[in-house]
Amino acid sequence: MTATPARAAALRVLRGVRRGGLADRALGQAMASLEPRDRAWLQELVYGTLRLRGRLDHILAEHVRRPLEDLEPDVLDILRLGAYQLLEMGSVPPYAAVSQSVELAKEVGRGPARLVNAVLMGLSRRREPVAYPPLETDPAGHLAAWGSHPRWLVERWIERFGVEATRSLLEWNNDRPEIFLRLVGWDAADAVAALASADVEATPGPADTVRLGAGSDVAGALAVVPAVVQDPGAARVAAFAASVARGFVVDLCAAPGGKALALAQAPAVRYLLAADRSERRLRRAWDNAERISRQLGRPLSLGLAVADVRDATVADVDLALLDVPCTGTGTFRRHPDARWRVGPEDLAALVALQRDMLDAAAEVVRPGGVLVYATCSLEPEENDEQVDAFLARNPAFEPAPGCVDGDGMNETDRLVVLPQRDATDGAFAACMRRVH
C-alpha cells in the first residue's frame, strides 16, 4: 500500500512552502501531474491545511507528548494533513485519513509512522470539545488558536479593531475565496450574458467585476470576456487611480498587470507604461494585454518595461501608480500561506523598502502630476503612516482629496478597504499631487 498521488503531492506542496515557495505556484506545479478529478481535492486539502494550521497545531499539541517544533518538519506536515482530513473533510473516511498519513510517514521512518498512527487514531476517537484559551481572559491567545493566525498579528488587530472585529476578520480569512473577473471595456450585464451563453455561471460584483460560480472554468471564462482575475478590493484601487489618470501614466510595480490594464482604458489616458522588476510576471501582463486587445478588436495604448522603480528612467509623467510590495495582510483569505511567512521583522523591512520606492517614484512625476500609492495591507505603518511620513519629508507634494467618490474613503480622503467590513480583500490607496 502506498499513499495516493494527491496526498503525496500535498506533502510536496507543504514542503515547498516550508522552504520559502509560494503555495499557489507549488500547487500549480503539483496539479500538472494529477488526474483532473484529483486537482480540486488537492487544492482543498492544501489550502485548508494552510488556513487552519494554527488551529490544527493547537489540537495536535494535546495528542503529542513533545513540543510540535521538536518533530521532524515532514512529520508535522503529515500530521496537519491527516488532522485536516479527519476534522474538516467529511467525505474522507477516518480510516483512510489515518492509514494514508501513516503511508506518507513511512517514507520518513518506522518511528514517525508509529507516531503518526497513534496521534491520528487518538484524534479520530476524540469526542470532547477543543479547549482553547479563554476568550474573556486571553482574547489574543483564543483568537490566535481558534482563528489560526500568528499571535503577533492578532494582538495588533485587537488593539486597532477590537475583539469582535478581529474575530470577523479571522473568520473571513479562513473562508474559501470567491473568484472575480475585473472587466476591461465591458459592463457586467453584457459579461454575465456572454458567460451564461458559454455555460459559465456568473453574477455582477462590485467595482466593475463579475463573480464566477463555484468550480467555474476560469480559463474558459477569460476566453469569453475581456477581463483579468482580480478581487474587488484591488479593482477599487484601480478605479481610485483611474479617476485621476490622464496623459502619460506609468504603473511602476505593474505585474501581473490587472491595474495597468484598467488604467489603460481610462478615457483621458494617452499612453500607459507598465513596469516591473519581474520579467516572468510581466509576461503575464503582456499575455493578458494581447488577449484583451483581440477580444476588444483594438490595440491597447500599453507598453511594458522590465525595470526597478528605484532606477526608473522615465520622467515628467502625469500619473504614477506605485502599488508597493507589502505584508499582504489584506489578502490572507486568498493567500493562506502568507500569514505564516510574514513576521514583525518583515514588516519593518518592507516599510523601509516602501519609503525608498516612494521617494524614487516622486522623482518621475511632473509638477501638477499625481502620485498614487497603494498596498494590499491592513497595517498603518505601510498605509497612513507611510503616506504621512512621505508628505512630511517631501514638501513638493500635497494630499489630493477627492480622487474618487464612494464608500471606503477615510477622513483624509484615502481609500481604506477592510475585509471584515467590506467583504473583499483589504486594500489602501492615497493620492498626492506635485505642486512644484
Side-chain angles (χ1 to χ4, degrees):
M1 183 176 179
T2 60
T4 62
R7 289 180 172 90
L11 180 58
R12 289 197 302 272
V13 172
L14 292 190
R15 188 183 294 143
V17 170
R18 194 172 67 237
R19 294 171 177 171
L22 300 178
D24 54 356
R25 193 177 305 170
L27 188 60
Q29 293 170 348
M31 284 181 173
S33 63
L34 294 180
E35 296 293 328
R37 59 186 174 83
D38 290 330
R39 292 171 186 169
W41 193 89
L42 171 65
Q43 180 169 311
E44 165 63 20
L45 177 57
V46 167
Y47 277 153
T49 300
L50 287 169
R51 286 190 193 99
L52 297 187
R53 195 184 92 174
R55 185 185 301 176
L56 297 173
D57 283 2
H58 179 81
I59 295 170
L60 286 169
E62 298 182 3
H63 295 267
V64 180
R65 294 180 179 177
R66 48 179 160 154
L68 295 185
E69 57 267 23
D70 289 347
L71 297 175
E72 292 182 61
D74 272 357
V75 173
L76 180 53
D77 278 341
I78 291 167
L79 286 171
R80 289 165 173 161
L81 290 168
Y84 186 79
Q85 293 170 68
L86 284 170
L87 300 174
E88 301 292 334
M89 298 181 75
S91 62
V92 178
Y95 75 85
V98 175
S99 63
Q100 286 285 298
S101 299
V102 171
E103 291 302 316
L104 283 176
K106 284 179 180 178
E107 298 181 13
V108 183
R110 294 178 61 185
R114 288 194 295 269
L115 170 67
V116 167
N117 183 67
V119 170
L120 294 183
M121 284 297 291
L123 185 57
S124 70
R125 293 191 292 262
R126 179 191 182 115
R127 296 295 177 264
E128 65 275 11
V130 178
Y132 295 109
L135 180 63
E136 297 76 13
T137 57
D138 185 10
H142 177 91
L143 292 179
W146 168 84
S148 190
H149 280 66
R151 181 171 180 133
W152 75 274
L153 274 172
V154 173
E155 289 174 344
R156 287 173 59 87
W157 292 342
I158 288 175
E159 183 178 355
R160 190 156 77 258
F161 302 132
V163 172
E164 286 308 311
T166 299
R167 174 189 281 272
S168 296
L169 174 57
L170 304 187
E171 287 179 331
W172 169 265
N173 286 346
N174 287 335
D175 203 358
R176 295 167 182 81
E178 297 172 300
I179 302 298
F180 290 85
L181 301 184
R182 205 282 187 187
L183 302 170
V184 179
W186 276 33
D187 64 31
D190 289 340
V192 168
L195 290 167
S197 68
D199 295 324
V200 178
E201 179 187 352
T203 55
D208 295 320
T209 65
V210 293
R211 179 189 294 104
L212 297 185
S216 293
D217 177 8
V218 177
L222 290 173
V224 174
V225 297
V228 292
V229 177
Q230 190 174 75
D231 183 86
R236 290 181 69 180
V237 172
F240 180 92
S243 68
V244 289
R246 55 185 50 83
F248 177 28
V249 175
V250 60
D251 184 347
L252 292 165
C253 297
K259 297 183 182 70
L261 289 167
L263 285 172
Q265 293 298 298
V269 172
R270 295 196 312 273
Y271 184 78
L272 187 138
L273 177 65
D276 199 273
R277 290 180 60 187
S278 171
E279 180 178 358
R280 179 188 60 80
R281 297 182 71 236
L282 204 56
R283 287 185 184 276
R284 291 173 56 192
W286 178 255
D287 292 342
N288 281 328
E290 284 196 319
R291 171 180 54 81
I292 290 171
S293 293
R294 291 194 302 270
Q295 290 170 318
L296 294 177
R298 53 183 170 80
L300 300 177
S301 297
L302 176 71
L304 292 93
V306 179
D308 189 318
V309 60
R310 292 166 295 182
D311 302 317
T313 56
V314 295
D316 295 324
V317 306
D318 297 288
L319 182 139
L321 171 62
L322 183 66
D323 190 0
V324 294
C326 66
T327 56
T329 52
T331 61
F332 282 172
R333 186 187 203 188
R334 204 164 298 283
H335 303 290
D337 52 316
R339 72 182 73 171
W340 309 115
R341 191 167 51 245
V342 67
E345 67 284 356
D346 300 299
L347 174 59
L350 284 164
V351 168
L353 173 63
Q354 293 156 5
R355 174 191 173 107
D356 292 345
M357 296 176 76
L358 256 175
D359 287 343
E363 297 298 318
V364 311
V365 179
R366 67 165 181 81
V370 171
L371 172 61
V372 174
Y373 171 83
T375 79
C376 57
S377 171
L378 307 180
E379 310 317 306
E381 295 95 328
E382 300 182 275
N383 296 339
D384 280 310
E385 291 177 17
Q386 187 72 270
V387 173
D388 290 343
F390 169 80
L391 291 171
R393 67 178 181 272
N394 287 275
F397 282 82
E398 66 179 14
C403 273
V404 67
D405 295 326
D407 297 334
M409 306 301 290
N410 69 6
E411 63 278 2
T412 55
D413 284 305
R414 297 166 187 170
L415 178 69
V416 179
V417 184
L418 300 176
Q420 70 272 25
R421 182 190 67 195
D422 302 308
T424 72
D425 284 355
F428 172 88
C431 187
M432 298 160 281
R433 190 176 306 280
R434 184 165 190 168
V435 292
H436 58 78

